[in-house]
Amino acid sequence: MALEIKRQFEEKGHLVDMEKIRAAESRSSWEWFFIRLFRGRCAIEPPRIKDASFYDVVCFGSPNWTRVSLPMREYLSQIKGLEYKNVGFFSTTSLPSLLEWFVFSAYLFDLTFTRAIE
């Protein structure tokens, strides 16, 4: 999804910079579940982009359609320069888009993203 968004922006003549945020350790689904439940944070590899003040628009993607993933949440706590920026976000899902939009993205994903950037 991120590559498609990048392609569409580049077709319109915009310069796009992209970075994939990675957890410091690979974990199973159950490990991620318990880390989210009890710790709420995880270590990430050092990001390349640490200051967003040079960008006009910033877009974040997350593979978890019910909430912001832990690596993305950690990145949002580290990145600087998001004040007064146009910020977009997206996630992926396997549910029908109408159900996903009104039930999950419109509430749960938006809520966790908003809490992360506050």
Side-chain angles (χ1 to χ4, degrees):
M1 169 122 13
L3 293 173
E4 178 61 22
I5 292 171
K6 180 180 187 255
R7 185 188 65 77
Q8 288 183 18
F9 273 111
E10 288 175 338
E11 283 179 358
K12 294 179 181 178
H14 299 284
L15 295 175
V16 179
D17 196 2
M18 194 164 122
E19 179 175 17
K20 186 173 185 177
I21 306 303
R22 299 179 189 272
E25 295 180 45
S26 179
R27 302 181 188 277
S28 71
S29 298
W30 284 109
E31 287 176 305
W32 281 119
F33 175 78
F34 287 112
I35 288 171
R36 181 179 292 284
L37 190 63
F38 295 112
R39 283 200 330 220
R41 298 186 76 104
C42 76
I44 60 173
E45 292 179 2
R48 181 177 48 86
I49 302 169
K50 296 177 183 174
D51 187 359
S53 60
F54 303 106
Y55 299 99
D56 295 329
V57 177
V58 182
C59 187
F60 297 101
S62 184
N64 188 342
W65 48 267
T66 58
R67 60 182 69 180
V68 174
S69 68
L70 287 178
M72 182 55 65
R73 181 149 177 41
E74 184 65 23
Y75 179 68
L76 289 171
S77 70
Q78 293 180 15
I79 191 170
K80 304 294 181 221
L82 289 178
E83 298 85 9
Y84 309 109
K85 292 284 180 208
N86 289 323
V87 176
F89 60 91
F90 65 91
S91 66
T92 56
T93 181
S94 60
L95 292 177
S97 59
L98 190 60
L99 175 66
E100 185 273 331
W101 172 254
F102 287 111
V103 176
F104 294 111
S105 282
Y107 179 70
L108 297 173
F109 189 67
D110 182 42
L111 179 67
T112 58
F113 185 84
T114 303
R115 285 184 182 165
I117 62 172
E118 284 178 347

